Each structure stands twice: as C-alpha cells, then as structure tokens.
Amino acid sequence: MEAIQLYAFDLDGTLLDTAPDFFYAVNKLREANGLKSGDFSEVRSRVSQGAASLARYALNLEVNQKKEIEQSKLELLEIYEKCCLGAKLFDGMNEVIVNLKEKNKNWGIVTNKPRKFAEPIVKDKFSRFNPDFLICPDDVGERKPSPKGLELACELANISSKNSIYIGDHQIDIASGKSAKMRTIAAAYGYIPKGDTASEWGADFVINHPLEINKIIESN
C-alpha cells in the first residue's frame, strides 16, 4: 500500500458538527412561517444533502416547487450566516489534526459549502491548525461528486492521488474520492441520509469515530 501523505476532509458532518446551527436556522424559518419546531434528526440527516434539502424540509415543500425552494434556501442561508460560527469539531477531531501535524502530513478541506460560508468557519475553527487548503465549488466551478476539488487539492499539495485519502460522510464524497483516484474513508458518525448506510458506499475504510483515523495514520 502506498504511504498516505495527504489527508483531505469534507467539512460538514466530517470535521465539524454543524447540524445544531442548521437546526436553529431551520426553526427560525419555520417560526417565521407559523410552523412548529422541526425534528433534529431529520435536519441532521439532510445537512450533507445541501441547503435545498433543508429548505424543503423547513417549509414542507415538494420537490417540484423549485421557485419556493430557492426562496426558502436564500432565507435559510441568511439566518445560518449569522449563527454558523457556533459549530464545534467532532469529538476526537482535534487529536486527529494534531497527529497529522506531528507526523508532517499534509491536510486540508474540500467541501461543497460555498466559500462565503466556509471561509469564516474554517478561519475561526482551524486557523491554529494551518490547513494546507480550503477548496470550495467557487474554486473549481463544480460540486462533488465531481473530482475537480480533490484534483486541485493534490495539485496544491504537490502529492499524487495514490498517496492521498479523502474523508467524508456522504456517498458523493466517496464517489468524488474514487473519481480522483484517491483512497477514501466513510465517516459513519456523520450526517448519513435516512435509509443510507456508509458501509455500502465502497469506501476503503469505514469509521464510527474520528479517532479511528489515527489508526490509519499510524499504519501509513
């Protein structure tokens, strides 16, 4: 097995527990529209599917109500922008990043979150860890499962994809990693959509807690 020199991470549901912030935003939007508080588990399972899925749930919209979904999404994100710095690292993730730094491994973030939202969060939560990159759809013109963000990560780190691994909590993360010819880790502790199972995504590793990443680091 080729030694892993680059560890790339998804953001929401992998590095950071952002679901409470989105739950707050969803409920503020529901409250403004005369609806009672939503279900946290439902919101959590939708975070990795993006703001449109959360917007649909917030106002009980159907898939074909595209105009209403788009308006709801804009309102939701406006609320979220004001509360997004409340997110916390998942338990154990601090130790994982410290270990990567001590082992002189490259690491960074490849997310589908627009840079407008991702950059302030990463600056607030990770500046002390000095990530090698933050790559958003704005940077490559495509969202995952496109491999372009991960290909750019390898280019910026000057590390081959065969010496790189991507960690994410959604099937599109694993598909993106495979398309980029990287190894992959499915974060089963993350925001797994209802009815989905991380072990079915075909990842090289499946983990149930961030600290399990340290075992992979030590073995490579």
Side-chain angles (χ1 to χ4, degrees), residues 25-44:
V26 163
N27 281 335
K28 291 295 286 185
L29 186 55
R30 288 175 68 87
E31 180 185 342
N33 285 271
L35 299 171
K36 65 180 182 180
S37 179
D39 177 67
F40 179 72
S41 65
E42 182 68 33
V43 170
R44 191 181 192 280

Side-chain angles (χ1 to χ4, degrees), residues 4 78 109 150 171 178 182 192 215:
I4 301 172
E78 185 176 351
I109 300 162
L150 291 172
Q171 188 172 12
K178 287 180 173 295
M182 299 170 70
I192 312 300
K215 297 178 184 177

Side-chain angles (χ1 to χ4, degrees), residues 27-180:
N27 281 335
K28 291 295 286 185
L29 186 55
R30 288 175 68 87
E31 180 185 342
N33 285 271
L35 299 171
K36 65 180 182 180
S37 179
D39 177 67
F40 179 72
S41 65
E42 182 68 33
V43 170
R44 191 181 192 280
S45 72
R46 289 173 176 262
V47 171
S48 288
Q49 299 176 61
S53 178
L54 290 167
R56 275 185 55 213
Y57 173 71
L59 297 187
N60 303 325
L61 300 171
E62 299 296 332
V63 177
N64 61 355
Q65 294 179 269
K66 294 184 179 180
K67 183 177 179 181
E68 292 86 350
I69 291 171
E70 183 61 26
Q71 181 59 38
S72 175
K73 184 176 80 170
L74 293 174
E75 294 173 6
L76 178 71
L77 290 176
E78 185 176 351
I79 299 168
Y80 173 71
E81 187 175 9
K82 297 174 183 177
C83 69
C84 63
L85 295 183
K88 299 182 184 301
L89 275 72
F90 279 104
D91 288 343
M93 193 55 75
N94 184 85
E95 291 88 338
V96 169
I97 298 174
V98 168
N99 195 19
L100 287 171
K101 301 294 287 185
E102 289 178 349
K103 296 289 192 300
N104 293 315
K105 303 290 188 180
N106 292 75
W107 83 280
I109 300 162
V110 180
T111 176
N112 272 351
K113 206 180 196 79
R115 182 166 285 277
K116 174 183 177 182
F117 301 103
E119 193 162 34
I121 294 172
V122 170
K123 182 177 180 181
D124 183 67
K125 306 300 179 184
F126 298 104
S127 60
R128 69 187 187 278
F129 296 122
N130 193 28
D132 294 292
F133 50 79
L134 166 64
I135 298 172
C136 304
D138 319 49
D139 303 309
V140 293
E142 294 183 13
R143 293 166 55 86
K144 295 174 294 182
S146 165
K148 284 192 174 181
L150 291 172
E151 290 169 350
L152 178 58
C154 292
E155 180 182 334
L156 292 174
N158 194 29
I159 294 174
S160 169
S161 61
K162 68 182 181 181
N163 299 108
S164 305
I165 198 164
Y166 187 49
I167 304 101
D169 69 313
H170 197 282
Q171 188 172 12
I172 64 170
D173 296 320
I174 306 308
S176 180
K178 287 180 173 295
S179 293

